[in-house]
Amino acid sequence: MSVTVYAPPTPHFVGDGFRVHNFIPGMIPEGMARMDPFLMLDYNSRHYFPPAATPRGVGVHPHKGFETVTIAYKGRVAHHDSAGNSGVIGEGDVQWMTAGAGILHKEYHEEAFSRQGGDFQMVQLWVNLPARHKQTPPGYQDVRKADMVRVPLPANAGTVEIIAGSYEGQTGPAHTFSPVHLMNACLHAGGTASFTFPAHYHTALLVIEGQVKVNGDALVPADHFAVLAPGTGSFSLTADAESTVLVLSGEPLREPIAAYGPFVMNTREEIVQAFAEYERGAFGYLAE
Ligand code: MN
Protein backbone atom coordinates (compact mmCIF):
# COMPACT_ATOMS: atom_id res chain seq x y z
CA MET A 1 0.00 0.00 0.00
CA SER A 2 1.38 3.38 -0.95
CA VAL A 3 -0.61 5.23 1.65
CA THR A 4 -1.62 4.72 5.30
CA VAL A 5 -4.95 6.24 6.32
CA TYR A 6 -5.57 7.30 9.92
CA ALA A 7 -9.03 7.93 11.38
CA PRO A 8 -9.21 10.93 13.72
CA PRO A 9 -8.24 9.90 17.26
CA THR A 10 -10.33 10.96 20.28
CA PRO A 11 -10.01 14.74 20.58
CA HIS A 12 -8.55 16.59 23.55
CA PHE A 13 -8.66 20.25 24.47
CA VAL A 14 -5.70 22.61 24.12
CA GLY A 15 -6.61 25.37 26.57
CA ASP A 16 -10.39 25.69 26.39
CA GLY A 17 -10.57 26.87 22.77
CA PHE A 18 -9.06 24.17 20.60
CA ARG A 19 -10.64 20.72 20.45
CA VAL A 20 -8.04 18.78 18.54
CA HIS A 21 -7.23 15.38 17.12
CA ASN A 22 -3.47 14.88 17.24
CA PHE A 23 -2.26 13.14 14.09
CA ILE A 24 1.47 13.96 14.26
CA PRO A 25 3.16 12.56 16.26
CA GLY A 26 0.35 10.82 18.22
CA MET A 27 -1.03 8.57 15.50
CA ILE A 28 2.27 7.72 13.88
CA PRO A 29 4.21 4.82 15.37
CA GLU A 30 7.58 6.27 14.32
CA GLY A 31 6.86 9.55 16.16
CA MET A 32 8.18 12.98 15.19
CA ALA A 33 10.92 11.73 12.87
CA ARG A 34 8.46 10.07 10.48
CA MET A 35 7.06 13.31 9.10
CA ASP A 36 10.19 15.46 9.69
CA PRO A 37 10.19 18.51 9.23
CA PHE A 38 6.51 18.42 10.33
CA LEU A 39 6.74 17.82 14.07
CA MET A 40 3.13 18.13 15.08
CA LEU A 41 -0.29 18.32 13.48
CA ASP A 42 -3.31 19.12 15.62
CA TYR A 43 -6.65 19.20 13.85
CA ASN A 44 -9.70 20.89 15.30
CA SER A 45 -12.36 19.15 13.20
CA ARG A 46 -15.48 21.25 12.74
CA HIS A 47 -16.92 21.90 16.19
CA TYR A 48 -19.63 24.26 17.35
CA PHE A 49 -18.61 26.56 20.20
CA PRO A 50 -21.57 28.26 21.90
CA PRO A 51 -21.41 32.02 22.58
CA ALA A 52 -18.97 33.02 25.35
CA ALA A 53 -18.37 36.41 26.99
CA THR A 54 -14.70 35.60 27.59
CA PRO A 55 -12.84 34.34 24.51
CA ARG A 56 -11.74 30.73 24.74
CA GLY A 57 -8.17 29.84 23.89
CA VAL A 58 -4.67 29.31 25.24
CA GLY A 59 -3.01 31.86 27.53
CA VAL A 60 0.56 33.13 27.38
CA HIS A 61 3.08 30.34 26.72
CA PRO A 62 6.55 30.09 25.18
CA HIS A 63 7.92 28.42 22.05
CA LYS A 64 11.45 28.03 20.74
CA GLY A 65 13.21 26.30 17.86
CA PHE A 66 10.44 25.86 15.29
CA GLU A 67 7.45 27.53 13.58
CA THR A 68 3.74 27.29 14.39
CA VAL A 69 1.41 27.44 11.40
CA THR A 70 -2.30 27.95 12.07
CA ILE A 71 -4.75 27.47 9.21
CA ALA A 72 -8.33 28.64 9.80
CA TYR A 73 -11.08 26.87 7.90
CA LYS A 74 -14.04 27.96 10.07
CA GLY A 75 -14.20 30.62 12.77
CA ARG A 76 -11.73 33.35 13.66
CA VAL A 77 -8.59 33.22 15.77
CA ALA A 78 -6.55 36.04 17.35
CA HIS A 79 -2.84 35.98 18.13
CA HIS A 80 -0.55 38.22 20.20
CA ASP A 81 3.15 37.67 20.82
CA SER A 82 6.06 39.14 22.76
CA ALA A 83 7.74 40.30 19.54
CA GLY A 84 4.88 42.82 19.23
CA ASN A 85 3.01 41.01 16.48
CA SER A 86 -0.70 40.42 16.58
CA GLY A 87 -3.36 39.51 14.11
CA VAL A 88 -6.73 37.96 13.52
CA ILE A 89 -7.21 35.27 10.94
CA GLY A 90 -10.51 34.19 9.48
CA GLU A 91 -11.74 31.53 7.10
CA GLY A 92 -9.03 30.50 4.68
CA ASP A 93 -6.28 32.61 6.29
CA VAL A 94 -3.01 31.36 7.77
CA GLN A 95 -0.74 32.69 10.48
CA TRP A 96 2.83 31.52 10.21
CA MET A 97 4.77 32.29 13.38
CA THR A 98 8.49 31.72 13.60
CA ALA A 99 9.31 31.09 17.27
CA GLY A 100 13.01 30.90 16.38
CA ALA A 101 15.21 32.03 19.28
CA GLY A 102 12.22 32.21 21.62
CA ILE A 103 8.85 33.91 21.93
CA LEU A 104 5.78 34.13 24.16
CA HIS A 105 2.36 34.10 22.53
CA LYS A 106 -1.32 33.56 23.22
CA GLU A 107 -3.98 32.18 20.91
CA TYR A 108 -7.68 32.93 21.34
CA HIS A 109 -10.98 32.88 19.55
CA GLU A 110 -11.49 36.37 18.13
CA GLU A 111 -13.84 38.46 20.34
CA ALA A 112 -16.81 38.93 18.01
CA PHE A 113 -16.69 35.25 17.00
CA SER A 114 -16.63 34.32 20.70
CA ARG A 115 -19.66 36.45 21.54
CA GLN A 116 -21.64 35.01 18.62
CA GLY A 117 -20.39 31.45 18.83
CA GLY A 118 -20.17 29.31 15.73
CA ASP A 119 -18.45 26.52 13.89
CA PHE A 120 -14.72 26.36 14.40
CA GLN A 121 -12.30 24.32 12.28
CA MET A 122 -8.52 24.79 12.34
CA VAL A 123 -5.21 23.08 11.76
CA GLN A 124 -2.07 23.80 13.74
CA LEU A 125 1.13 22.49 12.30
CA TRP A 126 4.58 22.71 13.86
CA VAL A 127 7.35 22.98 11.28
CA ASN A 128 10.86 22.36 12.55
CA LEU A 129 13.69 24.82 11.95
CA PRO A 130 17.05 23.56 10.70
CA ALA A 131 19.67 23.65 13.49
CA ARG A 132 21.39 26.61 11.86
CA HIS A 133 18.16 28.67 12.00
CA LYS A 134 16.92 27.80 15.49
CA GLN A 135 18.25 31.11 16.85
CA THR A 136 16.64 33.19 14.12
CA PRO A 137 14.73 36.23 15.47
CA PRO A 138 11.01 35.55 15.99
CA GLY A 139 8.80 36.41 13.02
CA TYR A 140 5.18 36.52 12.00
CA GLN A 141 3.66 36.10 8.55
CA ASP A 142 0.04 36.97 8.07
CA VAL A 143 -0.97 34.98 5.00
CA ARG A 144 -4.40 36.01 3.78
CA LYS A 145 -6.50 33.73 1.60
CA ALA A 146 -6.50 36.51 -1.00
CA ASP A 147 -2.67 36.46 -1.10
CA MET A 148 -2.42 32.75 -1.82
CA VAL A 149 -1.52 31.68 -5.32
CA ARG A 150 -4.35 29.84 -7.08
CA VAL A 151 -3.57 27.30 -9.76
CA PRO A 152 -6.60 26.20 -11.81
CA LEU A 153 -6.67 22.45 -12.45
CA PRO A 154 -7.23 20.93 -15.89
CA ALA A 155 -10.71 19.76 -16.89
CA ASN A 156 -12.33 22.23 -14.47
CA ALA A 157 -11.41 19.85 -11.62
CA GLY A 158 -10.95 22.69 -9.13
CA THR A 159 -8.07 24.77 -7.82
CA VAL A 160 -4.87 24.31 -5.87
CA GLU A 161 -4.30 27.16 -3.43
CA ILE A 162 -0.61 27.48 -2.52
CA ILE A 163 0.29 28.66 1.00
CA ALA A 164 4.00 27.83 0.81
CA GLY A 165 6.27 26.11 -1.67
CA SER A 166 5.18 25.47 -5.20
CA TYR A 167 2.79 23.64 -7.47
CA GLU A 168 2.99 23.45 -11.28
CA GLY A 169 5.74 26.07 -11.38
CA GLN A 170 3.90 28.63 -9.23
CA THR A 171 5.04 29.61 -5.74
CA GLY A 172 2.99 30.54 -2.67
CA PRO A 173 3.54 33.56 -0.41
CA ALA A 174 4.86 32.10 2.88
CA HIS A 175 8.60 32.11 3.51
CA THR A 176 10.06 28.88 4.89
CA PHE A 177 13.54 28.02 6.24
CA SER A 178 13.71 24.65 4.52
CA PRO A 179 11.84 23.27 1.51
CA VAL A 180 8.19 22.91 2.52
CA HIS A 181 5.13 22.68 0.29
CA LEU A 182 1.79 23.46 1.88
CA MET A 183 -1.42 23.84 -0.13
CA ASN A 184 -5.14 23.30 -0.25
CA ALA A 185 -6.55 21.20 -3.05
CA CYS A 186 -10.11 22.43 -3.62
CA LEU A 187 -11.73 19.80 -5.82
CA HIS A 188 -15.12 19.52 -7.44
CA ALA A 189 -16.90 16.15 -7.31
CA GLY A 190 -15.13 13.85 -9.76
CA GLY A 191 -12.17 16.21 -10.09
CA THR A 192 -8.56 14.99 -10.01
CA ALA A 193 -5.36 16.77 -8.98
CA SER A 194 -1.90 15.29 -9.53
CA PHE A 195 1.10 16.09 -7.34
CA THR A 196 4.79 15.44 -7.80
CA PHE A 197 7.25 16.12 -4.98
CA PRO A 198 10.80 14.82 -4.63
CA ALA A 199 10.52 11.15 -3.65
CA HIS A 200 12.59 11.59 -0.46
CA TYR A 201 10.22 14.26 0.94
CA HIS A 202 7.73 13.39 3.66
CA THR A 203 4.22 13.85 2.30
CA ALA A 204 0.77 13.61 3.84
CA LEU A 205 -2.74 14.95 3.42
CA LEU A 206 -5.69 15.83 5.62
CA VAL A 207 -9.23 15.81 4.27
CA ILE A 208 -10.89 18.97 5.60
CA GLU A 209 -14.13 18.58 3.65
CA GLY A 210 -15.53 15.89 1.39
CA GLN A 211 -13.82 12.63 0.54
CA VAL A 212 -11.01 11.66 -1.83
CA LYS A 213 -9.27 8.63 -3.24
CA VAL A 214 -5.48 8.54 -3.43
CA ASN A 215 -4.27 7.08 -6.73
CA GLY A 216 -7.85 6.11 -7.49
CA ASP A 217 -7.77 3.53 -4.72
CA ALA A 218 -7.17 4.38 -1.05
CA LEU A 219 -10.27 6.08 0.32
CA VAL A 220 -9.68 9.02 2.64
CA PRO A 221 -12.91 10.30 4.23
CA ALA A 222 -13.43 13.71 5.85
CA ASP A 223 -11.28 14.38 8.93
CA HIS A 224 -8.94 11.50 8.04
CA PHE A 225 -5.19 11.86 7.63
CA ALA A 226 -3.17 9.94 5.06
CA VAL A 227 0.60 9.48 5.04
CA LEU A 228 2.28 8.52 1.79
CA ALA A 229 4.84 5.72 1.88
CA PRO A 230 8.48 6.80 1.91
CA GLY A 231 9.76 7.10 -1.66
CA THR A 232 6.39 8.16 -3.09
CA GLY A 233 7.08 11.06 -5.45
CA SER A 234 3.84 11.32 -7.37
CA PHE A 235 0.23 10.72 -6.48
CA SER A 236 -3.22 11.85 -7.47
CA LEU A 237 -6.31 12.84 -5.53
CA THR A 238 -9.77 12.24 -6.96
CA ALA A 239 -12.73 13.75 -5.17
CA ASP A 240 -15.89 11.74 -4.51
CA ALA A 241 -17.64 14.97 -3.54
CA GLU A 242 -16.80 18.68 -3.37
CA SER A 243 -13.60 18.42 -1.28
CA THR A 244 -10.92 20.47 0.43
CA VAL A 245 -7.66 18.67 1.17
CA LEU A 246 -4.62 20.07 2.94
CA VAL A 247 -1.48 18.68 1.28
CA LEU A 248 1.88 18.90 3.04
CA SER A 249 5.28 17.82 1.76
CA GLY A 250 8.68 18.70 3.16
CA GLU A 251 12.31 17.81 2.80
CA PRO A 252 13.39 15.93 5.94
CA LEU A 253 16.02 17.81 7.95
CA ARG A 254 17.40 14.53 9.33
CA GLU A 255 18.78 16.29 12.42
CA PRO A 256 18.40 15.08 16.00
CA ILE A 257 15.06 16.13 17.55
CA ALA A 258 15.00 17.03 21.25
CA ALA A 259 11.39 18.01 21.97
CA TYR A 260 10.02 18.93 25.36
CA GLY A 261 6.67 20.69 25.75
CA PRO A 262 6.78 23.95 23.80
CA PHE A 263 10.47 23.72 22.84
CA VAL A 264 12.04 21.74 19.99
CA MET A 265 15.83 21.75 19.85
CA ASN A 266 18.54 19.31 18.75
CA THR A 267 19.96 18.25 22.13
CA ARG A 268 18.81 17.82 25.72
CA GLU A 269 21.28 20.51 26.81
CA GLU A 270 19.61 23.00 24.46
CA ILE A 271 16.22 22.14 26.01
CA VAL A 272 17.59 22.78 29.52
CA GLN A 273 18.99 26.08 28.23
CA ALA A 274 15.64 27.01 26.63
CA PHE A 275 13.89 26.54 30.00
CA ALA A 276 16.56 28.70 31.69
CA GLU A 277 16.09 31.45 29.08
CA TYR A 278 12.32 31.31 29.53
CA GLU A 279 12.63 31.41 33.35
CA ARG A 280 14.82 34.49 33.27
CA GLY A 281 12.50 36.33 30.89
CA ALA A 282 14.68 36.21 27.78
CA PHE A 283 11.63 35.66 25.55
CA GLY A 284 10.24 39.10 26.41
CA TYR A 285 6.95 40.03 28.04
CA LEU A 286 3.35 39.53 27.03
CA ALA A 287 0.33 40.55 29.15
CA GLU A 288 -2.32 37.87 29.83
MN1 MN B 1 1.39 28.06 20.90
Side-chain angles (χ1 to χ4, degrees), residues 14 58-59 61-63 66 68 79 97 105-107 124 126 262:
V14 178
V58 192
H61 60 280
H63 289 298
F66 61 99
T68 66
H79 159 97
M97 187 190 78
H105 80 156
K106 56 182 180 178
E107 304 158 90
Q124 189 169 89
W126 289 10

